[in-house]
Amino acid sequence: MQIVKEKFGTTKCGKDVYAYTLSNAGGMQAKIINFGANLISLLVPDQNGNLEDVVLGFDKLEDYYGNNSFFGATVGPSANRIAGACFEIDGQRYQIDANDGENNLHSHIEEGYHKRVWDVTETENGLVLSLEGKDGEMGFPGNKKVTVTFGLSDDNALKLSYHVTADTNTIVNMTNHTYFNLAGHKAGRIEDHLLKINASHYTPVVPGAIPTGKITPVEGTPMDFTKMKPIGQDINADCEQLKIGQGYDHNFVIDGADGTLREIAEAEDPKSGRKMKVFTDLPGVQFYAGNCIGEETGKENTAYGPRKGFCLETQFYPDNIHHPNFPQAVFGPGKDYDSVTIYQFV
């Protein structure tokens, strides 16, 4: 793996931002900027060896100041939603930003980790990005030390490794919010992509996309991706859950999740032949079909919009702090947060 560094821009407050391109022996390339630890480009070969950039994003740093769809973002300290924008840990109540109606989404739109400038260290194993979070920042308790490492292997596997320590019990539920289009980021809608998720259950939601607390079988419903099928096959079905999310935007409960690394999903673009396998040691994955991507101009002057990319965001279940039956994303002294997610292209 080779790493090439180049300047990407300068922030409003005068900090230089750099893009780091990771390359493997087969020509695959991943480009990450240290503003938000955002994955901004991913060049992947098709069945004939032709390279295409398969992730949505922007060409200029200034466009990432907004990034309302979270293209490529490293989200933290808490991804997804927390009901009522508040929670309690060890008898102490914490109020966080109500930025999604009355709820919290992705910690904070402007102050979250996806809008921070990270420190960077280049190593033989990959690109290590790090930052420190202060106690009370965004309303979350605990001083935190956060690292995410991007590695690219010669078998076309992009590996994301997260490590967080905190001096007080706090919520840590990191994810990466990359939107994939395996035909290429300019190729249009993704309903014809094939998808399989190794999840026989999911967590249904109420309006506002907050889980009910139930863990429900997918069998016999449009939520069933236990066998490969087109994303668009059932996306417009007469189903209350799909109406709430305007399509798929749900947490799937990974079969057999026990904290060890396992394959959890597979996606394929039939036209190009590109296939992506997803591995993680986390218990859930948010499948978002890009239903609410705003109409905006992305890389290479490309018109982005609804369902032109999809996300597979590995995670602890949304709002787990309010549901004791869900795996809990509370970490602190004596219990560090460690997780791995791999996107492998075959």
Side-chain angles (χ1 to χ4, degrees), residues 205-216:
V205 296
V206 297
I210 297 297
T212 64
K214 295 181 179 178
I215 296 175
T216 300

Side-chain angles (χ1 to χ4, degrees), residues 238-260:
D238 185 13
C239 167
E240 184 63 24
Q241 287 297 305
L242 293 176
K243 292 176 182 177
I244 290 173
Q246 302 179 56
Y248 297 108
D249 188 9
H250 294 78
N251 171 68
F252 287 77
V253 175
I254 303 305
D255 290 340
D258 60 1
T260 60

Side-chain angles (χ1 to χ4, degrees), residues 29-268:
Q29 295 184 352
K31 184 176 289 187
I32 301 100
I33 57 173
N34 64 319
F35 180 83
N38 286 297
L39 176 66
I40 67 168
S41 175
L42 191 65
L43 294 177
V44 177
D46 67 6
Q47 57 195 355
N48 298 315
N50 300 311
L51 292 169
E52 287 285 353
D53 184 355
V54 299
V55 302
L56 276 58
F58 301 109
D59 289 322
K60 297 183 297 183
L61 173 63
E62 291 77 13
D63 291 326
Y64 284 98
Y65 296 160
N67 195 14
N68 294 326
S69 293
F70 290 79
F71 293 143
T74 294
V75 180
S78 178
N80 217 309
R81 291 170 174 85
I82 296 176
C86 65
F87 58 91
E88 185 175 303
I89 295 178
D90 298 333
Q92 179 70 40
R93 187 178 187 274
Y94 299 94
Q95 187 71 44
I96 54 179
D97 192 40
N99 57 18
D100 189 44
E102 64 182 12
N103 306 312
N104 176 265
L105 174 65
H106 297 328
S107 301
H108 200 289
I109 302 303
E110 296 301 328
E111 299 174 15
Y113 295 167
H114 68 295
K115 296 286 181 74
R116 294 273 299 273
V117 177
W118 296 57
D119 296 325
V120 181
T121 304
E122 299 179 35
T123 74
E124 292 182 357
N125 296 321
L127 190 71
V128 181
L129 296 102
S130 60
L131 58 76
E132 294 190 4
K134 296 179 180 179
D135 182 36
E137 193 173 66
M138 295 175 276
F140 292 88
N143 294 296
K144 292 173 282 289
K145 293 184 178 180
V146 182
T147 64
V148 57
T149 302
F150 290 81
L152 182 62
S153 64
D154 285 340
D155 59 355
N156 286 356
L158 179 67
K159 182 179 181 180
L160 284 67
S161 305
Y162 304 83
H163 179 73
V164 182
T165 62
D167 62 1
T168 301
N169 284 335
T170 189
I171 293 176
V172 182
N173 191 11
M174 305 275 294
T175 198
N176 182 274
H177 208 294
T178 291
Y179 290 76
F180 296 97
N181 186 323
L182 301 182
H185 81 99
K186 298 181 290 186
R189 294 169 73 98
I190 47 77
E191 284 99 334
D192 61 347
H193 277 53
L194 305 176
L195 179 66
K196 178 177 182 280
I197 305 176
N198 297 333
S200 55
H201 294 76
Y202 78 109
T203 52
V205 296
V206 297
I210 297 297
T212 64
K214 295 181 179 178
I215 296 175
T216 300
V218 301
E219 186 177 6
T221 77
M223 313 303 290
D224 192 348
F225 282 90
T226 54
K227 295 181 180 178
M228 193 79 91
K229 71 175 183 182
I231 289 173
Q233 177 175 304
D234 301 317
I235 201 168
N236 297 315
D238 185 13
C239 167
E240 184 63 24
Q241 287 297 305
L242 293 176
K243 292 176 182 177
I244 290 173
Q246 302 179 56
Y248 297 108
D249 188 9
H250 294 78
N251 171 68
F252 287 77
V253 175
I254 303 305
D255 290 340
D258 60 1
T260 60
L261 192 66
R262 64 184 59 237
E263 183 179 333
I264 61 119
E266 182 176 351
E268 178 180 353

Side-chain angles (χ1 to χ4, degrees), residues 309-331:
F310 68 94
C311 303
L312 291 168
E313 306 159 58
T314 57
Q315 62 179 4
F316 283 87
Y317 311 164
D319 198 36
N320 60 83
I321 193 71
H322 292 129
H323 302 286
N325 59 315
F326 288 179
Q328 294 295 294
V330 175
F331 297 86

